[in-house]
Amino acid sequence: MNSKEKERYIENFAFPFCDESTKYEKVAKIGQGTFGEVFKARDKGNPNKYVAMKRVIMENEKEGFPITALREIRILQLLKHENVVNLIQICRTKASASNKYRSTFYLVFDFCEHDLAGLLSNVNVKFSLGEIKKVMQQLLNGLYYIHSNKILHRDMKAANVLITKNGVLKLADFGLARAFSANKNGEPNRFTNRVVTLWYRPPELLLGERNYGPPVDMWGAGCIMAEMWTRSPIMQGSSEQQQLIFISQLCGSITPAVWPGVENLELYKSMELPQAQKRKVKDRLKPYMKDPYACDLLDKLLVLDPSRRADSDTALNHDFFWTDPMPCSLSNMLANHHQSMFEFLAPPRRPSHMRTHHSLPGTRPTTSAVQDSSYQDRVF
Amino acid sequence: MPCWYYDKKELRNTPSKLDGISYETEMRYRKEGARFIKETGSKMDLGYNTMATGMIYFHRFYMFHSFRQFPRYVTACCCLFLAGKVEETPKKCKDIIKTAKSLLSDQKFQTFGEDPKEEVMTLERILLQTIKFDLQVEHPYYYLLKYAKCLKGDKTKLQKMVQMAWTFVNDSLCTTLALQWEPEIIAVALMYLACKLSQFEVVDWIGRTSKHLRWWDMFVEDVTMDLLEDICHQVLDLYQSSSSTAPESPPLAPRAAQGSHTPIKGLVTSNGQEKMDVDSSTTVASQLTCAMKQQQQQPAMPPDAPPYPYNTLPPYPYPAPTHIAPPPGPPHMSGPPPPMVFPTYPPGFPPIPPPNAAASGFYANPPNPNPNLPPPHRPPYFK
Ligand SMILES: Nc1ncnc2c1ncn2[C@@H]1O[C@H](COP(=O)(O)OP(=O)(O)O)[C@@H](O)[C@H]1O
Ligand SMILES: [Mg+2]
């Protein structure tokens, strides 16, 4: 087959398993990250059905279909849970002369009306204590599920937590996720530590740990939990060094006494670690959170030593979720804001100058950082 | 949902067949492509899992496209390239092509065209769409090790059997077996074959109950002897047509030249019936001798089974958990199963079994010679 014939063949072959993207009608662009553009779209065959389409960016790929996208797809195909975003299918544009016979691919998801970062940045959205409990309970349920299935999310942050109009929370953005296994044959894992958006990055990653596990996501869950009250990320460092200082100022000095073995981490000696800092998690968050159970749970999530950090199971059994007011549905509250956040697209809700602001060489920038500029005025 | 399993009729009615390629030629192309993935992968130090995944993509691809449209060695490279990424052992496209070039004749390498890398990259998108982004595939290796752990008996013999079954699994990937049966069933069948050949008789196993007639009843249901033998024959048939006597395959010819594809002489039908009708024992014996000789001659397919104890499983969660995790409460994230303490298995393929191995009852009942038998049905095998 010569190249002309092949082009014709590709153009005309009806791939039985891979729908064309024309099946959907784009409604609006709702997100732009380094790893993909996201659109809201309508299923033409089912006009009440909305989907989110995340484009796989392949333009600058020297090695074909990006391994990160393959990972995301494989993991999403594996994970099917109420609190994990549902991947419906992968669709494609038709190959033609205009795209040089190279299809573009989209990951198609069930559409979620809100993301948590958007809700938190909207001053009109007020969460009751019961509603916050519901958010956290669903978030931890999702983490429990993915961790039991040996998947690490590695990019926990409010922007990657979606909420449907019915108040169902979905963990999203598995673009940095990967499978892990308990150390095989006693050999430590050697994962990259250049993951997790800086403000949600746990101290073990900042200190160069490569043999990490589910506790990295639990740290992010703690940051998100505090944010439910503070309404902005609690530790907004502008460098890894500064992030470690913020962490020490909140969680106490990082020392072998509170974290046995920390002295062996690669960057322990090269990073400046403030000494004689007292742990102030409860003290500093009490004015916001008020609820003592909430403070106590947060205190157990923002633990420096990953081996002593609460896991999702422990967290879900915490009294916070089992005392009045009990977790209650978000659907009523969301009904008042039932217009999706994505409908307000002007002025841009996600100023682009924030997006790469905290990126570091080799790290993923804080994609779709939803921090409104108004965040900067808030003092935590 | 695509179903990646086909019956024999479907396997004889593929796009290649419709494109004028004979069944025998297609089987040879599949074998050559799969072997080439194995050779290229081995040369690049890729693991058995990556190579097996690439081979499965390869076979699935040609259920939708013809060998005439897509030259097999290009597709093979593309499958290996994708499998490398999926199995977290990525190799650069240009390195795969370089290795491929070193293994192929100039004539065969010509099928990569002017810009081989571009060729493979373009094909990758077609491959992904064809296989429905169904990236996660399971292989019989995992089940082979899992089942072997449960068998009781002489440790040395057990290890010899596992090593042999492992090689059969390697070779089964050159056939369309993975398009016919689930990896659990292939594992059982090839262990059954290896048990016979290595004279390892399974008399007891961990977890045995009175309900279990055979050891595999613990793992799969309703697997008939006919089915097991059919699977074994499909692997043994590989050794029948020695690749050295097969004609050098021509580069992809335009449609007009299709008559030049000569089928390989002497390839038995997949259930071995032709031969069986003549004299089952000698044929099987000669097949086996051939098999052993070929396996010994194949340095490209070294026994790559992990050593005992069989706890070096691939890092990805196996089996792919599809269930919904239970609500919080029960203990989770348990560690790997405790390792079995066995002596390390020495490398090297086990010696050729004594010539009477085959006659010792293995094919005591030749497969039913009625060619009109319906293909084995597919009841729900898994408990
Ligand atoms: N299923 C969805 N429904 C609604 N919005 C979504 C959905 N998936 C993603 N988004 C929006 O698009 C943004 C970017 O998507 P994400 O998967 O996080 O990609 P990126 O890797 O670019 O961060 C999210 O923060 C969210 O606002
Ligand atoms: Mg994101």
Side-chain angles (χ1 to χ4, degrees), chain A residues 1 6 9-10 15 17 62-65 71 74 77 92 102-103 144 149 313, chain B residues 2 65 69 85-86 88 93 118-119 121 124-125 129 132-133 316 321 326 329 332:
Chain A
M1 193 158 51
K6 184 167 284 175
Y9 180 89
I10 296 171
F15 292 94
F17 304 142
K62 287 200 198 72
E63 292 303 323
F65 200 89
R71 239 182 237 150
R74 198 173 53 144
Q77 286 171 342
R92 59 174 173 118
R102 295 177 156 202
S103 302
Y144 176 78
N149 283 291
D313 190 14
Chain B
H65 305 281
Q69 306 285 1
K85 289 188 277 186
V86 169
E88 302 284 346
C93 189
E118 198 53 40
E119 195 76 16
M121 293 292 197
E124 189 187 34
R125 295 173 200 239
Q129 295 170 63
K132 205 214 165 200
F133 286 88
Y316 209 72
H332 55 282

mmCIF file of all heavy atoms in Angstrom, chain A residues 1 6 9-10 15 17 62-65 71 74 77 92 102-103 144 149 313, chain B residues 2 65 69 85-86 88 93 118-119 121 124-125 129 132-133 316 321 326 329 332:
data_model
loop_
_atom_site.group_PDB
_atom_site.id
_atom_site.type_symbol
_atom_site.label_atom_id
_atom_site.label_comp_id
_atom_site.label_asym_id
_atom_site.label_seq_id
_atom_site.Cartn_x
_atom_site.Cartn_y
_atom_site.Cartn_z
ATOM 1 N N MET A 1 0.857 -1.195 0.000
ATOM 2 C CA MET A 1 0.000 0.000 0.000
ATOM 3 C C MET A 1 0.892 1.243 0.000
ATOM 4 O O MET A 1 1.709 1.419 0.895
ATOM 5 C CB MET A 1 -0.857 -0.026 1.275
ATOM 6 C CG MET A 1 -1.967 0.957 1.234
ATOM 7 S SD MET A 1 -3.316 0.559 2.366
ATOM 8 C CE MET A 1 -2.541 0.288 3.924
ATOM 9 N N LYS A 6 -2.827 4.389 1.638
ATOM 10 C CA LYS A 6 -2.941 4.259 3.085
ATOM 11 C C LYS A 6 -3.759 5.403 3.665
ATOM 12 O O LYS A 6 -4.616 5.202 4.510
ATOM 13 C CB LYS A 6 -1.547 4.222 3.727
ATOM 14 C CG LYS A 6 -1.624 4.001 5.223
ATOM 15 C CD LYS A 6 -0.283 3.657 5.833
ATOM 16 C CE LYS A 6 0.113 2.225 5.555
ATOM 17 N NZ LYS A 6 1.439 1.880 6.029
ATOM 18 N N TYR A 9 -7.250 4.695 3.032
ATOM 19 C CA TYR A 9 -7.688 3.599 3.886
ATOM 20 C C TYR A 9 -8.001 4.100 5.291
ATOM 21 O O TYR A 9 -9.037 3.800 5.878
ATOM 22 C CB TYR A 9 -6.573 2.541 3.937
ATOM 23 C CG TYR A 9 -6.883 1.327 4.781
ATOM 24 C CD1 TYR A 9 -7.521 0.214 4.230
ATOM 25 C CD2 TYR A 9 -6.531 1.285 6.127
ATOM 26 C CE1 TYR A 9 -7.812 -0.898 5.002
ATOM 27 C CE2 TYR A 9 -6.809 0.183 6.906
ATOM 28 C CZ TYR A 9 -7.444 -0.907 6.334
ATOM 29 O OH TYR A 9 -7.722 -2.003 7.116
ATOM 30 N N ILE A 10 -7.086 4.908 5.837
ATOM 31 C CA ILE A 10 -7.274 5.410 7.200
ATOM 32 C C ILE A 10 -8.501 6.307 7.282
ATOM 33 O O ILE A 10 -9.288 6.255 8.214
ATOM 34 C CB ILE A 10 -6.013 6.186 7.659
ATOM 35 C CG1 ILE A 10 -4.818 5.239 7.719
ATOM 36 C CG2 ILE A 10 -6.232 6.835 9.005
ATOM 37 C CD1 ILE A 10 -3.503 5.951 7.955
ATOM 38 N N PHE A 15 -13.524 2.736 12.439
ATOM 39 C CA PHE A 15 -13.063 2.013 13.621
ATOM 40 C C PHE A 15 -14.274 1.675 14.484
ATOM 41 O O PHE A 15 -14.968 2.569 14.965
ATOM 42 C CB PHE A 15 -12.063 2.863 14.406
ATOM 43 C CG PHE A 15 -10.784 3.049 13.671
ATOM 44 C CD1 PHE A 15 -10.577 4.158 12.869
ATOM 45 C CD2 PHE A 15 -9.784 2.090 13.749
ATOM 46 C CE1 PHE A 15 -9.400 4.321 12.170
ATOM 47 C CE2 PHE A 15 -8.599 2.250 13.044
ATOM 48 C CZ PHE A 15 -8.402 3.363 12.256
ATOM 49 N N PHE A 17 -14.730 0.623 17.374
ATOM 50 C CA PHE A 17 -14.745 0.849 18.821
ATOM 51 C C PHE A 17 -14.428 2.281 19.206
ATOM 52 O O PHE A 17 -14.307 2.597 20.371
ATOM 53 C CB PHE A 17 -13.716 -0.042 19.512
ATOM 54 C CG PHE A 17 -13.913 -1.488 19.224
ATOM 55 C CD1 PHE A 17 -12.815 -2.310 19.054
ATOM 56 C CD2 PHE A 17 -15.180 -2.029 19.147
ATOM 57 C CE1 PHE A 17 -12.994 -3.652 18.797
ATOM 58 C CE2 PHE A 17 -15.357 -3.374 18.892
ATOM 59 C CZ PHE A 17 -14.255 -4.188 18.711
ATOM 60 N N LYS A 62 7.496 13.594 21.124
ATOM 61 C CA LYS A 62 8.458 12.905 20.267
ATOM 62 C C LYS A 62 8.191 11.407 20.285
ATOM 63 O O LYS A 62 8.593 10.687 19.400
ATOM 64 C CB LYS A 62 9.877 13.157 20.771
ATOM 65 C CG LYS A 62 10.375 14.552 20.496
ATOM 66 C CD LYS A 62 11.914 14.557 20.571
ATOM 67 C CE LYS A 62 12.459 15.942 20.745
ATOM 68 N NZ LYS A 62 12.229 16.490 22.088
ATOM 69 N N GLU A 63 7.543 10.953 21.335
ATOM 70 C CA GLU A 63 7.362 9.518 21.488
ATOM 71 C C GLU A 63 5.913 9.095 21.344
ATOM 72 O O GLU A 63 5.403 8.265 22.086
ATOM 73 C CB GLU A 63 7.945 9.061 22.838
ATOM 74 C CG GLU A 63 9.462 9.171 22.921
ATOM 75 C CD GLU A 63 10.188 8.376 21.826
ATOM 76 O OE1 GLU A 63 9.740 7.277 21.466
ATOM 77 O OE2 GLU A 63 11.216 8.876 21.322
ATOM 78 N N GLY A 64 5.235 9.701 20.381
ATOM 79 C CA GLY A 64 3.894 9.258 20.048
ATOM 80 C C GLY A 64 2.872 9.584 21.112
ATOM 81 O O GLY A 64 2.984 10.598 21.806
ATOM 82 N N PHE A 65 1.906 8.717 21.251
ATOM 83 C CA PHE A 65 0.841 8.953 22.215
ATOM 84 C C PHE A 65 1.455 9.041 23.609
ATOM 85 O O PHE A 65 2.174 8.140 24.028
ATOM 86 C CB PHE A 65 -0.166 7.807 22.135
ATOM 87 C CG PHE A 65 -1.508 8.158 22.701
ATOM 88 C CD1 PHE A 65 -2.480 8.727 21.910
ATOM 89 C CD2 PHE A 65 -1.787 7.924 24.039
ATOM 90 C CE1 PHE A 65 -3.727 9.053 22.433
ATOM 91 C CE2 PHE A 65 -3.030 8.255 24.568
ATOM 92 C CZ PHE A 65 -3.996 8.823 23.766
ATOM 93 N N ARG A 71 -1.391 6.226 30.776
ATOM 94 C CA ARG A 71 -1.556 5.913 32.193
ATOM 95 C C ARG A 71 -2.929 6.359 32.694
ATOM 96 O O ARG A 71 -3.642 5.627 33.353
ATOM 97 C CB ARG A 71 -0.500 6.684 32.970
ATOM 98 C CG ARG A 71 0.414 5.810 33.756
ATOM 99 C CD ARG A 71 1.382 6.686 34.523
ATOM 100 N NE ARG A 71 2.737 6.337 34.189
ATOM 101 C CZ ARG A 71 3.757 7.189 34.193
ATOM 102 N NH1 ARG A 71 3.568 8.461 34.495
ATOM 103 N NH2 ARG A 71 4.959 6.770 33.912
ATOM 104 N N ARG A 74 -5.631 4.103 31.241
ATOM 105 C CA ARG A 74 -5.627 2.762 31.811
ATOM 106 C C ARG A 74 -6.157 2.777 33.235
ATOM 107 O O ARG A 74 -6.919 1.914 33.652
ATOM 108 C CB ARG A 74 -4.203 2.203 31.784
ATOM 109 C CG ARG A 74 -4.160 0.714 31.933
ATOM 110 C CD ARG A 74 -2.753 0.244 31.736
ATOM 111 N NE ARG A 74 -1.849 0.982 32.614
ATOM 112 C CZ ARG A 74 -0.790 0.434 33.190
ATOM 113 N NH1 ARG A 74 -0.500 -0.819 32.959
ATOM 114 N NH2 ARG A 74 -0.009 1.149 33.960
ATOM 115 N N GLN A 77 -9.892 3.440 33.274
ATOM 116 C CA GLN A 77 -10.654 2.259 32.845
ATOM 117 C C GLN A 77 -10.792 1.270 33.991
ATOM 118 O O GLN A 77 -11.759 0.527 34.091
ATOM 119 C CB GLN A 77 -9.958 1.569 31.664
ATOM 120 C CG GLN A 77 -10.107 2.328 30.356
ATOM 121 C CD GLN A 77 -9.239 1.767 29.244
ATOM 122 O OE1 GLN A 77 -8.284 1.023 29.494
ATOM 123 N NE2 GLN A 77 -9.541 2.131 28.015
ATOM 124 N N ARG A 92 -12.342 10.276 18.789
ATOM 125 C CA ARG A 92 -11.286 10.729 17.876
ATOM 126 C C ARG A 92 -11.881 11.642 16.828
ATOM 127 O O ARG A 92 -13.069 11.558 16.521
ATOM 128 C CB ARG A 92 -10.711 9.512 17.164
ATOM 129 C CG ARG A 92 -11.855 8.829 16.417
ATOM 130 C CD ARG A 92 -11.431 7.689 15.552
ATOM 131 N NE ARG A 92 -12.636 7.031 15.037
ATOM 132 C CZ ARG A 92 -12.948 6.955 13.748
ATOM 133 N NH1 ARG A 92 -12.125 7.417 12.835
ATOM 134 N NH2 ARG A 92 -14.061 6.373 13.351
ATOM 135 N N ARG A 102 -3.783 12.532 10.958
ATOM 136 C CA ARG A 102 -3.511 12.216 12.355
ATOM 137 C C ARG A 102 -4.718 12.628 13.169
ATOM 138 O O ARG A 102 -5.027 13.807 13.308
ATOM 139 C CB ARG A 102 -2.302 12.997 12.845
ATOM 140 C CG ARG A 102 -1.064 12.566 12.126
ATOM 141 C CD ARG A 102 0.094 13.396 12.580
ATOM 142 N NE ARG A 102 1.311 12.652 12.348
ATOM 143 C CZ ARG A 102 2.430 12.884 12.991
ATOM 144 N NH1 ARG A 102 2.480 13.825 13.904
ATOM 145 N NH2 ARG A 102 3.498 12.177 12.734
ATOM 146 N N SER A 103 -5.373 11.650 13.725
ATOM 147 C CA SER A 103 -6.545 11.934 14.539
ATOM 148 C C SER A 103 -6.136 12.645 15.816
ATOM 149 O O SER A 103 -5.036 12.476 16.309
ATOM 150 C CB SER A 103 -7.235 10.633 14.919
ATOM 151 O OG SER A 103 -7.598 9.926 13.774
ATOM 152 N N TYR A 144 -10.082 6.017 49.510
ATOM 153 C CA TYR A 144 -10.045 4.645 50.021
ATOM 154 C C TYR A 144 -10.131 3.662 48.868
ATOM 155 O O TYR A 144 -9.396 2.683 48.784
ATOM 156 C CB TYR A 144 -11.208 4.407 51.006
ATOM 157 C CG TYR A 144 -11.273 2.984 51.480
ATOM 158 C CD1 TYR A 144 -10.394 2.523 52.457
ATOM 159 C CD2 TYR A 144 -12.167 2.083 50.912
ATOM 160 C CE1 TYR A 144 -10.419 1.199 52.867
ATOM 161 C CE2 TYR A 144 -12.195 0.758 51.312
ATOM 162 C CZ TYR A 144 -11.320 0.321 52.290
ATOM 163 O OH TYR A 144 -11.323 -0.983 52.687
ATOM 164 N N ASN A 149 -7.170 -0.102 45.433
ATOM 165 C CA ASN A 149 -6.858 -0.656 44.122
ATOM 166 C C ASN A 149 -5.442 -0.313 43.685
ATOM 167 O O ASN A 149 -5.110 -0.418 42.491
ATOM 168 C CB ASN A 149 -7.876 -0.167 43.093
ATOM 169 C CG ASN A 149 -9.177 -0.922 43.218
ATOM 170 O OD1 ASN A 149 -9.240 -2.099 42.918
ATOM 171 N ND2 ASN A 149 -10.202 -0.257 43.721
ATOM 172 N N ASP A 313 -9.032 4.969 55.669
ATOM 173 C CA ASP A 313 -9.883 4.136 56.504
ATOM 174 C C ASP A 313 -10.022 4.747 57.899
ATOM 175 O O ASP A 313 -11.129 4.959 58.406
ATOM 176 C CB ASP A 313 -9.241 2.740 56.576
ATOM 177 C CG ASP A 313 -10.152 1.716 57.210
ATOM 178 O OD1 ASP A 313 -11.357 2.022 57.347
ATOM 179 O OD2 ASP A 313 -9.666 0.636 57.556
ATOM 180 N N PRO B 2 -16.155 -4.485 22.990
ATOM 181 C CA PRO B 2 -15.573 -5.481 22.090
ATOM 182 C C PRO B 2 -15.293 -6.745 22.883
ATOM 183 O O PRO B 2 -15.009 -6.689 24.064
ATOM 184 C CB PRO B 2 -14.269 -4.823 21.656
ATOM 185 C CG PRO B 2 -13.905 -3.925 22.795
ATOM 186 C CD PRO B 2 -15.179 -3.521 23.467
ATOM 187 N N HIS B 65 -7.615 -5.559 10.420
ATOM 188 C CA HIS B 65 -6.903 -5.110 9.231
ATOM 189 C C HIS B 65 -6.190 -6.296 8.608
ATOM 190 O O HIS B 65 -5.907 -7.283 9.272
ATOM 191 C CB HIS B 65 -5.863 -4.034 9.588
ATOM 192 C CG HIS B 65 -6.444 -2.868 10.334
ATOM 193 N ND1 HIS B 65 -7.130 -1.852 9.736
ATOM 194 C CD2 HIS B 65 -6.446 -2.598 11.661
ATOM 195 C CE1 HIS B 65 -7.520 -0.985 10.646
ATOM 196 N NE2 HIS B 65 -7.120 -1.407 11.828
ATOM 197 N N GLN B 69 -2.574 -4.807 3.959
ATOM 198 C CA GLN B 69 -2.625 -3.353 4.162
ATOM 199 C C GLN B 69 -1.508 -2.878 5.081
ATOM 200 O O GLN B 69 -0.968 -1.796 4.922
ATOM 201 C CB GLN B 69 -3.967 -2.944 4.802
ATOM 202 C CG GLN B 69 -5.204 -3.415 4.063
ATOM 203 C CD GLN B 69 -5.458 -2.619 2.803
ATOM 204 O OE1 GLN B 69 -4.688 -1.728 2.467
ATOM 205 N NE2 GLN B 69 -6.517 -2.957 2.094
ATOM 206 N N LYS B 85 5.249 1.452 26.624
ATOM 207 C CA LYS B 85 4.711 2.569 27.391
ATOM 208 C C LYS B 85 3.654 2.094 28.373
ATOM 209 O O LYS B 85 3.637 2.498 29.537
ATOM 210 C CB LYS B 85 4.133 3.628 26.429
ATOM 211 C CG LYS B 85 5.208 4.370 25.649
ATOM 212 C CD LYS B 85 4.634 5.534 24.864
ATOM 213 C CE LYS B 85 4.042 5.087 23.544
ATOM 214 N NZ LYS B 85 3.609 6.239 22.706
ATOM 215 N N VAL B 86 2.779 1.209 27.901
ATOM 216 C CA VAL B 86 1.683 0.754 28.761
ATOM 217 C C VAL B 86 2.222 -0.010 29.970
ATOM 218 O O VAL B 86 1.727 0.138 31.080
ATOM 219 C CB VAL B 86 0.704 -0.127 27.953
ATOM 220 C CG1 VAL B 86 -0.278 -0.831 28.879
ATOM 221 C CG2 VAL B 86 -0.050 0.726 26.943
ATOM 222 N N GLU B 88 4.960 0.391 31.438
ATOM 223 C CA GLU B 88 5.914 1.215 32.183
ATOM 224 C C GLU B 88 7.366 0.827 31.935
ATOM 225 O O GLU B 88 8.230 0.941 32.805
ATOM 226 C CB GLU B 88 5.623 1.184 33.695
ATOM 227 C CG GLU B 88 4.226 1.663 34.087
ATOM 228 C CD GLU B 88 4.053 3.188 34.049
ATOM 229 O OE1 GLU B 88 5.075 3.898 33.983
ATOM 230 O OE2 GLU B 88 2.904 3.653 34.060
ATOM 231 N N CYS B 93 11.141 5.206 20.239
ATOM 232 C CA CYS B 93 10.728 4.675 18.943
ATOM 233 C C CYS B 93 11.940 4.432 18.045
ATOM 234 O O CYS B 93 12.058 3.393 17.397
ATOM 235 C CB CYS B 93 9.745 5.640 18.296
ATOM 236 S SG CYS B 93 8.963 5.009 16.829
ATOM 237 N N GLU B 118 8.187 7.881 11.368
ATOM 238 C CA GLU B 118 6.896 8.454 11.012
ATOM 239 C C GLU B 118 5.871 7.344 10.763
ATOM 240 O O GLU B 118 4.721 7.429 11.198
ATOM 241 C CB GLU B 118 7.106 9.284 9.742
ATOM 242 C CG GLU B 118 6.027 10.284 9.456
ATOM 243 C CD GLU B 118 5.738 11.214 10.620
ATOM 244 O OE1 GLU B 118 6.698 11.635 11.293
ATOM 245 O OE2 GLU B 118 4.556 11.499 10.861
ATOM 246 N N GLU B 119 6.332 6.312 10.111
ATOM 247 C CA GLU B 119 5.468 5.183 9.786
ATOM 248 C C GLU B 119 4.907 4.559 11.064
ATOM 249 O O GLU B 119 3.714 4.286 11.174
ATOM 250 C CB GLU B 119 6.298 4.158 8.995
ATOM 251 C CG GLU B 119 5.516 3.105 8.281
ATOM 252 C CD GLU B 119 4.859 3.634 7.011
ATOM 253 O OE1 GLU B 119 5.244 4.722 6.527
ATOM 254 O OE2 GLU B 119 3.946 2.947 6.515
ATOM 255 N N MET B 121 4.783 5.936 14.098
ATOM 256 C CA MET B 121 3.971 6.910 14.836
ATOM 257 C C MET B 121 2.546 7.000 14.273
ATOM 258 O O MET B 121 1.582 7.057 15.006
ATOM 259 C CB MET B 121 4.592 8.302 14.740
ATOM 260 C CG MET B 121 5.908 8.409 15.438
ATOM 261 S SD MET B 121 5.683 8.253 17.199
ATOM 262 C CE MET B 121 7.237 8.909 17.704
ATOM 263 N N GLU B 124 0.604 4.055 15.216
ATOM 264 C CA GLU B 124 0.216 3.960 16.631
ATOM 265 C C GLU B 124 -1.219 4.448 16.851
ATOM 266 O O GLU B 124 -1.990 3.868 17.611
ATOM 267 C CB GLU B 124 1.184 4.764 17.518
ATOM 268 C CG GLU B 124 0.932 4.508 18.997
ATOM 269 C CD GLU B 124 1.746 5.412 19.914
ATOM 270 O OE1 GLU B 124 1.985 6.582 19.557
ATOM 271 O OE2 GLU B 124 2.125 4.958 21.001
ATOM 272 N N ARG B 125 -1.568 5.532 16.170
ATOM 273 C CA ARG B 125 -2.937 6.049 16.340
ATOM 274 C C ARG B 125 -3.953 5.053 15.809
ATOM 275 O O ARG B 125 -5.022 4.873 16.384
ATOM 276 C CB ARG B 125 -3.095 7.374 15.594
ATOM 277 C CG ARG B 125 -2.220 8.460 16.170
ATOM 278 C CD ARG B 125 -2.284 9.700 15.288
ATOM 279 N NE ARG B 125 -1.132 10.536 15.537
ATOM 280 C CZ ARG B 125 -1.179 11.798 15.951
ATOM 281 N NH1 ARG B 125 -2.331 12.384 16.138
ATOM 282 N NH2 ARG B 125 -0.089 12.472 16.171
ATOM 283 N N GLN B 129 -6.858 3.054 18.117
ATOM 284 C CA GLN B 129 -8.285 3.062 17.796
ATOM 285 C C GLN B 129 -8.783 1.660 17.536
ATOM 286 O O GLN B 129 -9.904 1.316 17.885
ATOM 287 C CB GLN B 129 -8.538 3.918 16.551
ATOM 288 C CG GLN B 129 -8.230 5.381 16.772
ATOM 289 C CD GLN B 129 -8.247 6.171 15.472
ATOM 290 O OE1 GLN B 129 -9.270 6.270 14.814
ATOM 291 N NE2 GLN B 129 -7.111 6.714 15.089
ATOM 292 N N LYS B 132 -9.350 -0.256 20.688
ATOM 293 C CA LYS B 132 -10.293 0.436 21.575
ATOM 294 C C LYS B 132 -9.622 0.940 22.833
ATOM 295 O O LYS B 132 -10.238 0.957 23.884
ATOM 296 C CB LYS B 132 -11.449 -0.516 21.944
ATOM 297 C CG LYS B 132 -12.718 0.197 22.329
ATOM 298 C CD LYS B 132 -13.482 -0.561 23.388
ATOM 299 C CE LYS B 132 -14.536 0.346 24.021
ATOM 300 N NZ LYS B 132 -14.969 -0.129 25.313
ATOM 301 N N PHE B 133 -8.408 1.306 22.754
ATOM 302 C CA PHE B 133 -7.682 1.784 23.932
ATOM 303 C C PHE B 133 -7.801 0.773 25.066
ATOM 304 O O PHE B 133 -7.717 1.132 26.236
ATOM 305 C CB PHE B 133 -8.201 3.159 24.374
ATOM 306 C CG PHE B 133 -7.759 4.271 23.477
ATOM 307 C CD1 PHE B 133 -8.498 4.621 22.355
ATOM 308 C CD2 PHE B 133 -6.592 4.962 23.740
ATOM 309 C CE1 PHE B 133 -8.077 5.650 21.514
ATOM 310 C CE2 PHE B 133 -6.170 5.992 22.914
ATOM 311 C CZ PHE B 133 -6.916 6.335 21.808
ATOM 312 N N TYR B 316 1.880 -4.147 38.239
ATOM 313 C CA TYR B 316 0.507 -3.685 38.128
ATOM 314 C C TYR B 316 -0.410 -4.570 38.951
ATOM 315 O O TYR B 316 -0.149 -5.741 39.101
ATOM 316 C CB TYR B 316 0.064 -3.677 36.668
ATOM 317 C CG TYR B 316 -0.976 -2.624 36.455
ATOM 318 C CD1 TYR B 316 -0.634 -1.283 36.464
ATOM 319 C CD2 TYR B 316 -2.313 -2.970 36.353
ATOM 320 C CE1 TYR B 316 -1.587 -0.320 36.314
ATOM 321 C CE2 TYR B 316 -3.270 -2.005 36.214
ATOM 322 C CZ TYR B 316 -2.915 -0.688 36.186
ATOM 323 O OH TYR B 316 -3.854 0.269 36.051
ATOM 324 N N PRO B 321 -8.364 -5.290 39.375
ATOM 325 C CA PRO B 321 -9.546 -5.240 40.222
ATOM 326 C C PRO B 321 -10.653 -4.473 39.520
ATOM 327 O O PRO B 321 -10.456 -3.353 39.088
ATOM 328 C CB PRO B 321 -9.070 -4.498 41.465
ATOM 329 C CG PRO B 321 -7.805 -3.848 41.088
ATOM 330 C CD PRO B 321 -7.316 -4.417 39.794
ATOM 331 N N PRO B 326 -14.964 -2.567 49.136
ATOM 332 C CA PRO B 326 -15.985 -2.556 50.179
ATOM 333 C C PRO B 326 -15.902 -1.270 50.967
ATOM 334 O O PRO B 326 -14.886 -0.575 50.927
ATOM 335 C CB PRO B 326 -15.607 -3.763 51.033
ATOM 336 C CG PRO B 326 -14.155 -3.962 50.780
ATOM 337 C CD PRO B 326 -13.920 -3.519 49.375
ATOM 338 N N GLY B 329 -13.563 -0.201 56.682
ATOM 339 C CA GLY B 329 -13.741 -1.095 57.822
ATOM 340 C C GLY B 329 -12.776 -2.249 57.747
ATOM 341 O O GLY B 329 -11.811 -2.302 58.496
ATOM 342 N N HIS B 332 -7.249 -3.506 54.651
ATOM 343 C CA HIS B 332 -6.984 -3.454 53.225
ATOM 344 C C HIS B 332 -5.512 -3.202 53.002
ATOM 345 O O HIS B 332 -4.745 -3.093 53.943
ATOM 346 C CB HIS B 332 -7.824 -2.363 52.570
ATOM 347 C CG HIS B 332 -7.638 -1.027 53.212
ATOM 348 N ND1 HIS B 332 -8.251 -0.712 54.395
ATOM 349 C CD2 HIS B 332 -6.913 0.032 52.855
ATOM 350 C CE1 HIS B 332 -7.904 0.525 54.730
ATOM 351 N NE2 HIS B 332 -7.082 0.990 53.813
#
